[in-house]
Amino acid sequence: MSAHESHHHSAPHSHAHGHGPAAPVSRHLRKVIAAVLIPFAAAVAVGLVVLWPGGAPPHKPSGVGFDQPTETARVVKVAEVNCADVHAEQQPQPPSPTGQPPTGGADKGKPCQQATIEVTTGEHKGRTFQTVVTPDALRHYTTGQEVVVSYSPKAPKDLQYSISDVDRSFPMWLLAAIFAFAVVIVGRLRGLLALVALAASFVVLTLFILPAILQGSNPLVVAVVGGSAIMLIALYLCHGLTARTSVAVLGTLASLLLIGLLGSVFIGWALLTGNTDDTTGLVHGLYPDIEIRGLLLAGIIIGSLGVLDDVTVTQTAAVWELKEADPSAGWRKLYGAAMRIGRDHIASVVNTLVLAYAGAALPLLLLFSIAQSSVGTVASSEVVAEEIVRTLVGSIGLVAAVPLTTLLATLVVSADRKERSAPTGDETGAGHLTGAEAGAGAVGVTGSVPASPTGGRQGRRGGRGKRRKQ
């Protein structure tokens, strides 16, 4: 076989080897990163074991507010009745200050609805009760509709069951299925892994974080351990066990520590109690040992975690891609280019957080607007100040995550390339031969690859010509 033919036959073999998996960073840097992350992961695992609650504490429902057992039921009959006959007359409303007629006038004179409800689960399955729906009610019922009923054991028998909500499980599951389908179709394997990570996050939340807080463990410690476990599972599962993911983990961890520190300082400084709504008050009444202020700080940490992951992963990926596009760039140049990307990211993420919290508190803000309260009065009230602290502390952590993660990524990727400039056994062609080397060996006197410096340089050029998977 001629040298020319030997070159053509060996080229495909070389192509297959060149696209094999390559170490993303040098061995020394992998050891440094592992020296930081392995003890951290071990501490998280120990925390999970020590704080593992073994389930929520036993509790007998009090029958007050949300603390009521619920069952499913079905509307079996709906009939129109005279409101006066069922003692459901509409109360007259005073005229508005502008002289307009009172609201609800269009419903005056309309009949009421009397719905017959049958309980379909629980020990009282098959029991029926009736409820009256006035014409001005926001929710009306139809025959065959599924509803959720609450049970008050201390009430008279005819009043023990009442409708608390409608059963909307089908549209919710359908929406979840559409979401999962869209994620898998667009994201493919990464999308599927993201769904698995999402399921794992819910497992940690429902089996560890919530029961551990109910058992009386410190909410801040539980949130840090549980949030760290969620972070490790989600990032490594979705993005792989690579140095690039490890840098994102380090950036996320440092930012979470900053959020926890700032949150603790300003929650105490602003004298926030965390007990600003009926739900929190009910939880504190049922479980007096729960530290409500710690629960507020834990909510800030967990709420910021998801957006932090997005910021740190994006910045780390940007640095890696910039280095791949310009291998000669130093860490300063990489940092400047990546920060230009990060500044755009900061603007969008901070705006997202503020609007998300404002949207959640929109009814409250409307009440303050109706009362014509000043901005200072609204901002200094505890219920609004709590949301301001939550928003600003989380936003500061997100802003800090960008330069911190970018700096870590640039230092790692720059140090990695410097170390790779030294020849290694793989890069000198000792282990893998290119097509040109095989062709040269075919025309040699002994039939082996020439061990000349030129041949070594060819091997290194061949190795560098392949794009390494990061």
Side-chain angles (χ1 to χ4, degrees):
M1 182 181 294
S2 66
H4 180 74
E5 292 170 338
S6 175
H7 172 76
H8 281 282
H9 279 276
S10 59
H13 180 74
S14 170
H15 182 80
H17 278 286
H19 283 73
V25 297
S26 59
R27 180 177 300 177
H28 174 69
L29 284 175
R30 290 202 304 272
K31 290 182 178 179
V32 172
I33 294 174
V36 176
L37 287 179
I38 290 178
F40 168 67
V44 171
V46 171
L48 288 173
V49 173
V50 172
L51 298 175
W52 191 261
H59 169 69
K60 185 177 181 179
S62 64
V64 178
F66 283 103
D67 191 34
Q68 291 180 331
T70 59
E71 304 291 348
T72 60
R74 182 184 300 109
V75 179
V76 295
K77 182 181 178 181
V78 177
E80 291 186 354
V81 295
N82 190 312
C83 294
D85 295 340
V86 292
H87 308 288
E89 297 91 348
Q90 292 180 265
Q91 297 296 325
Q93 299 183 13
S96 64
T98 59
Q100 298 294 329
T103 58
D107 294 326
K108 187 176 181 180
K110 289 186 177 181
C112 292
Q113 288 183 337
Q114 188 176 51
T116 302
I117 315 298
E118 180 184 1
V119 180
T120 55
T121 59
E123 59 178 340
H124 298 142
K125 181 179 179 180
R127 179 191 290 189
T128 60
F129 66 96
Q130 293 180 330
T131 185
V132 176
V133 183
T134 58
D136 59 343
L138 295 178
R139 180 180 296 152
H140 295 263
Y141 305 105
T142 59
T143 303
Q145 184 178 6
E146 301 288 335
V147 295
V148 178
V149 295
S150 56
Y151 175 64
S152 300
K154 297 180 181 180
K157 184 177 180 180
D158 293 340
L159 303 176
Q160 286 181 334
Y161 280 99
S162 61
I163 298 178
S164 59
D165 207 344
V166 298
D167 185 2
R168 54 180 65 90
S169 57
F170 177 74
M172 299 302 292
W173 279 111
L174 179 60
L175 181 60
I178 295 173
F179 163 74
F181 178 76
V183 169
V184 173
I185 288 297
V186 177
R188 299 185 181 180
L189 179 60
R190 285 292 179 87
L192 180 61
L193 292 176
L195 293 177
V196 175
L198 180 62
S201 300
F202 274 105
V203 168
V204 174
L205 182 65
T206 56
L207 296 186
F208 173 71
I209 295 179
L210 298 181
I213 292 176
L214 291 178
Q215 291 283 9
S217 300
N218 187 290
L220 176 58
V221 176
V222 172
V224 170
V225 174
S228 299
I230 291 174
M231 174 186 66
L232 292 173
I233 294 172
L235 288 181
Y236 282 117
L237 185 60
C238 294
H239 305 285
L241 192 64
T242 63
R244 185 163 69 180
T245 307
S246 299
V247 171
V249 169
L250 290 174
T252 305
L253 174 62
S255 302
L256 279 179
L257 293 177
L258 177 61
I259 290 174
L261 177 62
L262 288 176
S264 179
V265 169
F266 282 94
I267 286 175
W269 199 355
L271 301 178
L272 299 178
T273 63
N275 191 3
T276 56
D277 55 30
D278 295 338
T279 303
T280 307
L282 178 59
V283 170
H284 187 53
L286 297 175
Y287 296 91
D289 294 335
I290 293 179
E291 186 184 353
I292 299 299
R293 185 175 295 180
L295 192 62
L296 171 60
L297 183 56
I300 294 175
I301 293 176
I302 295 176
S304 303
L305 181 60
V307 188
L308 268 180
D309 289 352
D310 173 50
V311 171
T312 55
V313 169
T314 301
Q315 285 305 113
T316 307
V319 171
W320 248 261
E321 292 300 325
L322 288 170
K323 185 63 176 180
E324 192 71 28
D326 186 5
S328 63
W331 75 269
R332 293 179 184 274
K333 182 178 180 181
L334 284 177
Y335 181 81
M339 279 303 298
R340 287 192 290 272
I341 300 173
R343 291 185 188 101
D344 291 335
H345 206 178
I346 287 174
S348 62
V349 166
V350 169
N351 196 41
T352 299
L353 271 183
V354 172
L355 291 180
Y357 285 125
L362 193 58
L364 177 64
L365 297 178
L366 286 175
L367 288 178
F368 280 111
S369 179
I370 293 171
Q372 297 181 351
S373 302
S374 64
V375 176
T377 302
V378 173
S380 61
S381 63
E382 181 173 2
V383 65
V384 176
E386 180 179 303
E387 296 302 323
I388 292 176
V389 170
R390 189 195 308 270
T391 303
L392 296 184
V393 167
S395 298
I396 291 172
L398 291 174
V399 171
V402 173
L404 180 60
T405 307
T406 303
L407 180 61
L408 286 173
T410 52
L411 292 177
V412 168
V413 77
S414 298
D416 170 43
R417 302 298 179 177
K418 288 178 181 178
E419 185 165 328
R420 282 186 181 177
S421 62
T424 61
D426 289 342
E427 292 179 339
T428 55
H432 301 288
L433 307 181
T434 64
E437 289 170 339
V443 297
V445 176
T446 59
S448 60
V449 176
S452 64
T454 304
R457 285 193 297 270
Q458 289 175 351
R460 286 193 295 275
R461 265 200 312 271
R464 289 175 183 170
K466 307 295 182 182
R467 178 185 173 103
R468 289 181 181 268
K469 183 179 180 181
Q470 299 298 326

